[in-house]
Amino acid sequence: MSRRHLFSAFAIVSLVMMSLVSLQDASAAKTRYVFGGGPAGGTFQVVASAIQTYKPVKDIKEFSVKAQSSAGSIENLRRVNAGKSDFAVVYSGHLYQGRKGMLRHDPRTYNKVLAVGYLYGAPAQLVVRKGAGVSSVEDLQGKKVGVGNAGSGAFANCELFFTHLGLWGEIERNAMGYNDAAAAFGNRQLDAFWLFTAFPSGAVIMASQTNSIDLLSLEIPASHSGFYKKYPYFTKVTIPAGTYRGVDEDRQSFQDSALWVANADVPDEVVYRMLSLVYSDEGIAYMVSQKKNFTGMSIENGVNGIVTPMHPGALQFWREKGVL
């Protein structure tokens, strides 16, 4: 190869290398924000993945969003507080307890986690066998009750509610997942089982195929016992008649809210822009296309279930929308 050709080849290689360096520099300059979800296949992870893959979010030039799986609400609370995640999904109750140092077996406070917006509700559902003489929570004394997996949010909220009513020690508790509980209920190994999840639940539908079921109304014992006053992050919810076969009247219950949260150090303009994209008509339609749980997402419901401080960027957005 001649010296001139060698020089030309060297120049081309140099230009390619400089272009690659420029691309790396541009990539490095683009801030990445981590969005904490949950276990694979769970609704928390669907939230994080949906926001990451929503095209208007992907098209943002100044920053990117990366979904990251986690164990769920409590881990997300801790990771956001530590700055290991920038955004995440956390139950309103865990956020409330965490900011006040009230988490079970964890007295630390998590004050760097701020609410951004309401995503969806997780209602309490208590399934009983129709005609079995169980018409109220008090009637479950001495009965076998599925209370959710040990360590789960369902179990924790079941313990919280029944303890508040003075009944936790009065029932025969069986810690198991929803599908296992529905199967045990169908085999008459349980008299009732508890869920804390969106409706309609596949486990309840399964139980209704082998038994005549009913749902207990939980709102009256909650109201009369001061449950909402003590735990203000729970809100009232109606499970409509016909949601499950054989349950032909509305049932009143309560729910916790799954919230979008952010670390306090995330810039206000980033939170505001993300909300503007995700809570647009197109953004909400995209979220609902990913999972029907998100049908409750709306501007009107944007601050539902939030009883803790909000991120300044979120405050600006919701005030402009007239819901604060």
Side-chain angles (χ1 to χ4, degrees):
M1 181 181 291
S2 69
R3 181 176 297 179
R4 188 177 68 180
H5 289 160
L6 185 63
F7 178 80
S8 298
F10 178 78
I12 291 170
V13 171
S14 298
L15 286 171
V16 170
M17 294 299 294
M18 288 174 65
S19 298
L20 289 173
V21 170
S22 297
L23 287 172
Q24 289 172 351
D25 288 344
S27 176
K30 191 172 184 177
T31 304
R32 187 181 76 167
Y33 292 100
V34 174
F35 202 121
T43 306
F44 278 25
Q45 187 62 19
V46 175
V47 171
S49 297
I51 290 176
Q52 173 189 285
T53 58
Y54 181 44
K55 189 175 186 304
V57 171
K58 290 175 65 177
D59 288 344
I60 295 172
K61 294 180 179 179
E62 296 81 7
F63 61 87
S64 63
V65 177
K66 173 67 176 176
Q68 187 173 85
S69 62
S70 82
S73 183
I74 295 294
E75 181 180 344
N76 285 344
L77 178 76
R78 291 169 175 154
R79 289 183 63 83
V80 171
N81 193 76
K84 295 179 180 179
S85 293
D86 304 287
F87 300 111
V89 186
V90 174
Y91 280 125
S92 181
H94 291 150
L95 180 56
Y96 176 86
Q97 293 171 4
R99 289 187 62 87
K100 291 180 175 291
M102 294 168 52
L103 286 172
R104 194 171 180 83
H105 309 304
D106 183 358
R108 289 173 291 180
T109 55
Y110 296 88
N111 291 324
K112 295 205 71 175
V113 186
L114 300 174
V116 170
Y118 169 87
L119 294 165
Y120 64 93
Q125 302 173 65
L126 190 51
V127 182
V128 297
R129 193 171 289 106
K130 192 172 288 186
V134 178
S135 58
S136 69
V137 180
E138 289 75 13
D139 292 335
L140 289 173
Q141 293 184 61
K143 304 290 187 182
K144 298 176 181 179
V145 182
V147 295
N149 271 325
S152 69
F155 183 99
N157 284 325
C158 187
E159 181 180 13
L160 189 74
F161 183 60
F162 276 79
T163 299
H164 180 78
L165 298 179
L167 296 172
W168 185 244
E170 304 301 319
I171 60 174
E172 186 175 326
R173 304 186 297 270
N174 292 263
M176 58 180 68
Y178 297 154
N179 288 343
D180 288 341
F185 180 85
N187 295 329
R188 296 184 174 266
Q189 296 170 308
L190 292 177
D191 300 298
F193 67 101
W194 164 281
L195 307 91
F196 211 84
T197 188
F199 57 80
S201 159
V204 181
I205 292 171
M206 182 169 70
S208 72
Q209 292 172 346
T210 55
N211 287 265
S212 294
I213 70 162
D214 204 350
L215 295 180
L216 293 185
S217 288
L218 303 177
E219 201 282 318
I220 291 177
S223 293
H224 289 180
S225 66
F227 187 66
Y228 297 119
K229 185 176 181 179
K230 188 171 183 180
Y231 305 106
Y233 48 85
F234 288 117
T235 57
K236 300 175 185 179
V237 65
T238 298
I239 302 174
T243 298
Y244 300 114
R245 186 173 68 180
V247 185
D248 300 323
E249 297 179 357
D250 290 352
R251 291 291 182 260
Q252 308 304 319
S253 188
F254 58 88
Q255 66 178 4
D256 199 352
S257 300
L259 303 182
W260 177 351
V261 302
N263 180 278
D265 294 334
V266 175
D268 298 358
E269 61 271 19
V270 170
V271 173
Y272 181 91
R273 187 167 183 187
M274 292 279 288
L275 281 169
S276 299
L277 294 174
V278 175
Y279 282 84
S280 65
D281 291 342
E282 297 79 6
I284 291 172
Y286 181 76
M287 295 296 292
V288 173
S289 75
Q290 303 301 297
K291 197 172 181 71
K292 290 182 179 179
N293 292 54
F294 307 139
T295 53
M297 283 182 66
S298 67
I299 294 297
E300 294 74 19
N301 294 339
V303 297
N304 281 6
I306 296 177
V307 293
T308 50
M310 297 186 71
H311 194 285
L315 284 172
Q316 179 187 352
F317 178 81
W318 297 117
R319 282 172 179 158
E320 289 180 6
K321 296 299 181 181
V323 294
L324 282 178

